[in-house]
Structure formats: C-alpha cells, structure tokens
Amino acid sequence: MTATDTYRRFERVDGVDETPRGLLASLHGEQLRVDVVRDDVVRVKISRGGRFDEEPTYAVCVDPLEGAPGFAVERGDGVVRLRTEALVLSLHLDPFHLDVHRPDGTPVVETAQDAQGRYWAYATLNDAFTVRRRCRHEDAIYGLGEKTGHQNRKGRDFTLWNTDVLSPDATGEFTAGRPGDDPRADPTSTEFDPYYVSIPFFYHQGHPAGGMSGSFVDNSYRGAYEFSHPEEYRIHFEGGQYTEYIFAGPSMPEILSAYTWLTGRTSPPPLWSLGYHQCRWFDYSQDAVEALAQRHRDLEIPCDALWLDIEYMDGYRVFTWNTESFPDAPGMLKRLQDSGFRVITIIDPGVKHDPGYWVYDQALERDVLCRTEGGDVYIGQVWPGDTAFPDFATEEARAWWGELNAAHVQSGLAGIWNDMNEPATGNIDPGRMRFDHGTQSHERFHNQYALLMAMGTTQGLLEAMPDRRTFVLSRAGFAGIQRYAANWMGDNVSRWDHLWLSIPMATGFGVSGQAFVGADIGGFAGNSQAELYLRWMQYGVLTPFCRNHSGIGNVDQYAWAWGQTVQDLVREALRLRYRLLPYIYATFITASETGAPVQRPLVFDYQDDPLVRDIDDEYLFGPDLLVAPVVEPGQTARQVYLPAGDWYDWNSGQRHAGGSFALVPTPMEHIPVFARAGSVIPMWPEAPATTAGYHPRTVELHLFVPATDGAHTSTLHEDDGLTFAAGEGKRYCTAFTVTRSGSRVEVLAEVEGEGYPEFARESFRLVVRGATPERVRIDGDVVELDGHSVTFANAGTGFTAELDLPPSA
C-alpha cells in the first residue's frame, strides 16, 4: 500500500454545466472547472471548501483567459466532451475520470485505473491530493527543471522541495533510512533529490509515435512526481488546490512556447552577462580584487565580470561592506568599470538579528519580516548567526527589499547574486517560518521564496537603473523564475561525474522555461585539478552562463592556476566564446521571443528520433551548434551521435552525414563541436578583452555549405546590448535564409529595425566552410574570393549572396 491509497477518490460527477470558457461540474461537494485557455491548452481546477483559488502562485504572469478560443460541448451517454481544434477533453461522469486526446485520437492524458479497475482522476486527504495517469513502459518523461540523473525522467521518482543540497540539516530527511549503496543517500551523488529549484512542469512522450503532451500544476506546496511505475505516473501535492494546465502539443517546442507564454520568458540579457565571469568564495581585499582584474588583462584572458562572495560584507550583514578590506568600494568599482569589468556581489535573504543594525531595525519598523504562528519574528541560523528573513509574500517586503538593492547598486555594482534562498535556515527547522504577517503557512511559500525575492530584487534594480537591463543570479527558484533571474546549479563538486551531471541538468532547465543557466566551472566544493578544469572550461564556454566559481579553502582555480599550457588552452576556449557572442546573443533573443532554450537536449529539435531520448552527454547550443563535452579523464576520442541533416566538425572541417555515429578525436586542445550544414554562424573577427565598448566594424558570417537541396534560416541580432531601446526598434535583426539548388547556394539577408547610435559595423566577411566556390556574387556583382572568404560593405542593409559551387561540392 502506498501513502495515497487511503485518499478519498472522487468517483462520480453529479452534474455538468457549460460556461463561457468551458465546463463547470459538481462532484463530492466540490466543483470541477475546465477552462479553454488556447486551442491546445486547457486548465482543470477543483475547488476546496467550495471555493477556487484563482491565483495559487506567482508563476503565471498573463491572464490565461484573455483570448477567446472556440470550442464545442457534446453530451453523450455518461460523458461530456469539450472539443477544440487541437484537443478533445472527455469528462466521464460515473465513474468519474477525465481524459484528453488530440483530434486524431492520440492520448494527451488518460486517467489510470488501479488493480481493482478504480479510476484515480483525483483523490484527496487532509488538504493533500493526488492524480494518476496512464503511460507505457517505453514512454519518456522530460522536464521538472533542475533535477539530477538522466534527462529522461522515466523510471524515477522526484520531490519538489527547494533544498540546500550540501547542508546536512536540509538534506537529512531525504537521505535518512536509505541503504549505503543507494546513491540518493549521498547529497553529492548525481542521483540525489530534491535540488534547489522546483518546477512542476513536465513532458510526456508517447511511444512509439513520439508525440508529446505537457503538464503544469500551478501549486507551490511540496510535490512528488512518481515516474517509477511502468504503466502509470502519479502526481501528488501536500496542500493547496489542484490547478493543472494540460498542453496537447504534440511537439516539444509548441508546448514550451505555450508554457513560457503563461509563466514568462527569459528577458534579453545585457551583453556583458554573456561574457566570462570570475568568482571565488575568498576573503579578498580591495587591492586583491583589482590585482585579479589586472592579471586577466595582462594575460589577455577575456573577462567581463568579477564576483564577490560573502566575505566582502561587515560580519555577513547584507547591504554592507567590510570597510577595512574595502576602504573605497565606489572608487574600486569605478576603476574596474573603466577597465571593462562589471562587479556583482552576493546578497542572501538572511538579515542578521542584531538590534542596532540598520537593516534589521528598518525591517522591524516596517514589519516586513517573517513571523511565527505566535507572532514572533522567525529566527534561523545562517552565516551571520541568528537570522531573520524578509516576508517576500507581501508587496511591502518586496518593495523594501527592492529599495535596499537599489541603494546597494548605486555604489557602482552591475548586478545581484541571490544565494541561500531556498530559504536556507541552517539547523533551525524552516517550518515555523510563516508568511503574509504570519497568516500563511510556510509550505505555501517555501518553493516560491526565491521567485518572490527575485521579483523584489529586479524591481529595485530597475528603479536604480531604469534604462538598463537587469542581471540577477539566483540559486533557488520556482516556475516563472526566468522572468527575473538566471539560475546557476548551486554547490556542485569538483568531480567528473558533476561535469557530466551539469549537461542533463542544464537541458532539463532549458525545456522547463529557464534559458539562462550554467554550472560552476571547475566545481565549487573540493579541489579541482588541471585536466578536469580544462575540460570543464572548454565545455563551460559553450553554455548559457559562463562562470568559474570555487569554494573557500580550495586550491586556486584561476585560468593560470595550472601553468602555461592549461592557461593558453583556457584562453583559446574563452576566445572562442567571445568570438561566438553574436551567435549566442541572437540565440538569447530568440529565447526571449519564443521560450526556446539556449542549451537544449537533442530531443527538443529531434523528438521523432528514438535515439536521442536517452542521450545525456551532448546537446545543442542554440539551433545550429552541437557540443559533445569530454566527461571522463584521459579521453582521447569519444563517440558522438549526429541527428538528421549534415554536420561539419568545427575543428577539422570534415562533413558528416546525420543519423549516424562518429568517433571524434578529443585532443587536449578542444572538445567536439559541430555546426549544422546550411547554417550561418555570426562571429566577431576577434575576441575582445571585454564586451564593454566593443562595437566591431566587421562581423564574420560563417556559412556552412548545405550538402543537399533545401533551405535553412539563421539570425544575427545587433543592438546596444545594455538598454531596452531594442524593444523600441533601435536594433538590426538580420535573418539569413540559405537555399541550395543543385550547385548553386543563395544567402538571402533580410533586415528589420532602424539601427542604434553605437552601431559601427561597416562590412561583413562571408567565410565559406565546406566548399570552395568557383564564383561569388553579392547583389549581382562578382566579388573576388580571399581564400575561403569575401568581404563586402554592409552597414545594416539586406543583401543577396550567390555561390556557384564546383560539381563535386
């Protein structure tokens, strides 16, 4: 017997009425409501105590019912059906169960039956509830955000409860009682669960057809997803109401686009945030920070951001500086900014319980701290010792927190790093922390705490720098966190298996709506070593967020820490990232428009290929680059699966046919990277030391010649990289359509936007990779090739390039 077997199942619908948006049914003294959100999305809600909670969390950022999709209601013998162009929802009355299919009859969700034939459409006990759905043993499951293990979640169970993974006090309940050989008994294992971020959104891919459906349960209480049962999956939440958005799909990009329409998309980032970030938990002095910056410049190691961990504060009091170590923080920040460095400081939610400390006193005066049921200020144990926590569930606390952040960045900071926001409370149980002036349970807001903190932080940054895009990094999060912050993957370990783990963890984030993610390069806990660090750096430069970070007391983990050879190879890896920034930036802009991930699993683009469902050690970086990191020591070659199409080895230039495996050398100089045939990869002609003030006069367009007839589109997005002016048309967005017909290849460039003051480009350099054209024409005029490239004047206008290839190409 499982814990939910004793729950009260809802077994019979007493009546069904049609509403302007769908259906309203009565059952077991409650109401079930079906709302048509879009043709391909329905929302199903069940009341508690006869009332609906219309805003169960802060995840949804639009009015789901703002549109007016058409639907029809049909009544049959014991069933009421709601039909749209993309789905058919069947509400069976007695016994009650709810199924959704596509018009062709393929399943989206189907209620599961137990061994006695009883349906489990919904069951509840003491505010908890569960639903059970049918699946097949061969099906695949993706999503749920930041989870360990393989990207295909089938066969495993997961808990949604934001957890400080390396804190024994936080992980103890999840490791207790497990045998020593169970990997989940060890919080540092690649199977431990739960993690820092909880996103109750997943995809179910049916076998063998490959169609996908999606589910988002808008509930922030502790949740459990059981995918270990061969023929069903189970969803369980310990409180709150049942509110589920069901996505008919059938493609993963369609579902993700709809989900991120609901919960928001990653905002266009400031360009500098896509550069290289150097971070370390270390007791730096002001002089040491400036020396660290200068060493990057002296060694010609590109870098845009330096980070300060908790030691910069006065006794770990947030929004303070240790004035002995940093006697002139504003002056330091100004000098670093003049050298092209942005500086970001950590800010924890914990406020030192210290009467006389101005932040604590102000929090008491404004009544913006979490309270206990009895009305006391809740106290936990974090870095400063006794610690109080802002009540981010209230608008007043978020506004106050925003004011503090606004004042903090006025010293010259570029962004904020939110840590310890699960919330981490040390050896004090967080359960007594209550919200909304003590009226709301901890369980309702635990998983939302980081989201609400990021809301307040972003609000403050926008008030301090209203003309600047914000940058906030958060350790924890919930559905919708992507609207306000990037996520890193928390306190990882300097081990090869953690390098591997960061790949499926990042792609899981990506298909769950969070495009701006990255792991601590080299590992945070423990001592890294030369080969691991180098391989992690070669991989990390091809991830959305590129930050080197390590813990206090560890060996040095700087680019130069392992001598000249590693230093030179790290420099080359970083130079590749900086040269690729036009491509990376364009990919982020697409993510902000469609929700498409930057680092994405192969299944996102190739869900009809059964081989990709279980590939966890390679990924697509944007739409046109395939990356296969080295995840084992001493590896001199590795197998890479190349999906449909043709692919060029970035390093050797060799073309490979897709739908096949390739054995690729992995010398210490680089890891395998492939470019899609037919793509145009925009690149800077050189790697600048910093993105600050860099506006090149020439941009390279690397054309990977298509091997077969067809068309492919790529993009270049140019704007000032800092402000919101691009949203008002101050940009150039160029779409490149590459078409091959026989031995002729055409590149059609179409431009949208009205430009911007900093725009300095005067020419394109078209670099042809994969063939040597016999003749090239730009807008009808024959131009002379310089080896494999041709340079032509262009300052923000469209063009047509025509390439005549030799018959053998």
Side-chain angles (χ1 to χ4, degrees), residues 626-749:
L626 187 151
V627 183
V630 172
V631 296
E632 297 176 1
Q635 197 169 31
T636 58
R638 63 152 292 173
Q639 182 172 266
V640 179
Y641 178 69
L642 299 170
D646 293 280
W647 298 87
Y648 286 93
D649 187 316
W650 184 272
N651 301 295
S652 72
Q654 180 181 356
R655 191 178 73 212
H656 296 262
S660 64
F661 293 91
L663 186 63
V664 185
T666 57
M668 292 305 295
E669 287 75 16
H670 56 75
I671 61 174
V673 179
F674 292 82
R676 187 191 305 274
S679 66
V680 173
I681 306 295
M683 298 181 68
W684 283 340
E686 61 185 358
T690 169
T691 63
Y694 183 71
H695 301 284
R697 297 186 179 277
T698 300
V699 169
E700 293 183 355
L701 304 175
H702 288 246
L703 166 64
F704 291 86
V705 174
T708 58
D709 289 358
H712 184 76
T713 300
S714 306
T715 60
L716 167 65
H717 189 100
E718 298 165 290
D719 59 37
D720 64 25
L722 290 173
T723 74
F724 300 103
E728 301 169 357
K730 302 294 193 295
R731 65 185 184 276
Y732 284 126
C733 184
T734 307
F736 305 99
T737 302
V738 177
T739 305
R740 176 161 185 166
S741 179
S743 62
R744 184 172 178 272
V745 174
E746 178 187 85
V747 182
L748 175 63

Side-chain angles (χ1 to χ4, degrees), residues 71-93:
F71 66 92
V73 175
E74 305 166 357
R75 295 178 182 266
D77 186 14
V79 62
V80 178
R81 289 191 170 88
L82 182 151
R83 187 182 299 272
T84 75
E85 290 186 0
L87 59 83
V88 180
L89 180 144
S90 300
L91 176 58
H92 299 269
L93 308 182

Side-chain angles (χ1 to χ4, degrees), residues 556-632:
D556 284 355
Q557 196 170 286
Y558 303 111
W560 50 84
W562 285 281
Q564 187 74 41
T565 300
V566 171
Q567 174 187 296
D568 291 347
L569 294 176
V570 166
R571 182 192 298 113
E572 288 308 305
L574 286 167
R575 284 176 172 172
L576 173 62
R577 180 179 181 88
Y578 272 73
R579 291 195 63 201
L580 281 170
L581 278 176
Y583 171 79
I584 298 171
Y585 187 61
T587 303
F588 266 91
I589 297 301
T590 299
S592 73
E593 295 169 344
T594 70
V598 176
Q599 183 174 356
R600 58 226 241 178
L602 300 188
V603 71
F604 183 80
D605 293 83
Y606 298 97
Q607 73 180 61
D608 293 332
D609 184 346
L611 275 175
V612 306
R613 56 181 275 169
D614 295 313
I615 292 180
D616 297 313
D617 60 353
E618 58 184 84
Y619 61 93
L620 288 168
F621 188 46
D624 294 322
L625 293 180
L626 187 151
V627 183
V630 172
V631 296
E632 297 176 1

